[in-house]
Amino acid sequence: MLRGLVLTAVLLLSACGSPEQSPAAPSSTTPAKRLLVVTYTTGFRHDSIAIAEQTLDALARQAGTFTVQFCRTGADVQSMLSPASLRGFDAVAFVNTTGNLGLPDLPAFLGWIAEGHGFAGMHSAADTYHDEPAYLDMLGNEFLTHGAESSVDAMVENPTHPASAMLGPRFAIFDEIYRFARGNRGQVTMLMSLDRQPVDGLPGQGEPADLPLAWAKAHGAGRVFYTALGHRDDVWRNVSYRQHIGAGLQWVLGLR
Ligand SMILES: [Zn+2]
């Protein structure tokens, strides 16, 4: 009996002393989800990373249901993406990352997602870890090339998924448009695609095509969201793009 009381007291104490409550959390019974945003690069570095970080910080404050921490350097990657550190997060976003990021244990990271955590990738997250097929499989594709920045009129394919429902049937945007190593239709929940090649100087420009642009998928029990858009600063300021990624992040966090 005494032991039971002591245990109850310990449990109550530890519940009260649980980690930092975000002031933005809607109530003490719904702790904010924790998102780790990785902007480290070992290849090309986008100028838009600065506004991308500001945008994600603003989206978290607006939503009030999740917090963001930033992982910016190789040293941050070693400390914040270790298996022990990942226990403190609900999802990770690779935001304009490039190259081999040198995660301390990439298979453990992919396994952590598959256990039921979230992953979001923006733009050059697909230009990351080209030498790791397991990462590319988790993401759902691999960046191949791009032409000049161009205007596209994307087809919004999924009117019910949280990350695309608000966009309407078409989404017009001016950005750098990625081509991917392969088609992934049927392997992912396609959110946005192009039905013709962008007019950007690459072979076949303007011709009918089927090009993936944004998708959602499962990785084991985890949720994965990717959008190829996000090269230019003004894309990160675009209200519809911000809604698209804000909802995508909430979806991988299990909030929607
Ligand atoms: Zn780019």
Side-chain angles (χ1 to χ4, degrees):
M1 181 63 183
L2 181 61
R3 187 191 254 185
L5 283 172
V6 170
L7 185 60
T8 304
V10 168
L11 286 172
L12 282 171
L13 275 174
S14 60
C16 295
S18 64
E20 67 274 14
Q21 291 281 335
S22 162
S27 80
S28 59
T29 55
T30 312
K33 298 278 188 173
R34 296 149 303 180
L35 175 69
L36 180 63
V37 174
V38 183
T39 54
Y40 179 54
T41 54
T42 65
F44 179 79
R45 189 166 181 87
H46 285 82
D47 291 340
S48 56
I49 284 175
I51 186 157
E53 288 190 356
Q54 290 167 23
T55 300
L56 295 172
D57 193 51
L59 288 173
R61 286 172 196 279
Q62 262 170 34
T65 49
F66 67 99
T67 60
V68 287
Q69 284 187 58
F70 293 99
C71 173
R72 299 182 169 109
T73 67
D76 287 351
V77 166
Q78 293 310 308
S79 62
M80 302 177 92
L81 286 165
S82 68
S85 168
L86 285 170
R87 288 188 207 117
F89 294 99
D90 299 293
V92 170
F94 280 14
V95 177
N96 283 350
T97 52
T98 51
N100 184 320
L101 302 181
L103 260 68
D105 189 340
L106 182 63
F109 174 62
L110 299 174
W112 174 85
I113 299 167
E115 283 167 15
H117 296 99
F119 181 88
M122 283 147 213
H123 192 52
S124 60
D127 190 16
T128 299
Y129 273 128
H130 287 276
D131 55 347
E132 293 287 354
Y135 169 80
L136 300 168
D137 285 350
M138 179 280 294
L139 185 67
N141 220 324
E142 176 183 14
F143 164 74
L144 182 64
T145 188
H146 66 75
E149 295 172 13
S150 62
S151 290
V152 293
D153 186 26
M155 294 194 305
V156 179
E157 296 204 24
N158 194 311
T160 57
H161 193 281
S164 53
M166 82 296 286
L167 294 173
R170 313 288 299 200
F171 180 53
I173 191 89
F174 180 76
D175 202 10
E176 178 185 83
I177 303 302
Y178 274 5
R179 308 304 197 282
F180 292 92
R182 54 192 166 272
N184 58 1
R185 187 173 291 283
Q187 297 155 26
V188 299
T189 300
M190 197 65 74
L191 303 180
M192 267 196 283
S193 68
L194 298 175
D195 57 2
R196 58 186 57 248
Q197 300 276 357
V199 179
D200 60 1
L202 291 185
Q205 61 177 350
E207 292 177 5
D210 180 21
L211 305 177
L213 201 59
W215 59 82
K217 65 186 284 292
H219 179 64
R223 289 177 170 183
V224 176
F225 162 70
Y226 173 78
T227 182
L229 300 170
H231 173 85
R232 292 172 55 87
D233 281 14
D234 58 5
V235 171
W236 286 92
R237 292 193 192 97
N238 179 288
V239 171
S240 295
Y241 179 72
R242 290 164 72 110
Q243 291 174 340
H244 169 55
I245 59 169
L249 290 170
Q250 291 181 53
W251 180 73
V252 303
L253 285 163
L255 293 166
R256 299 184 69 156

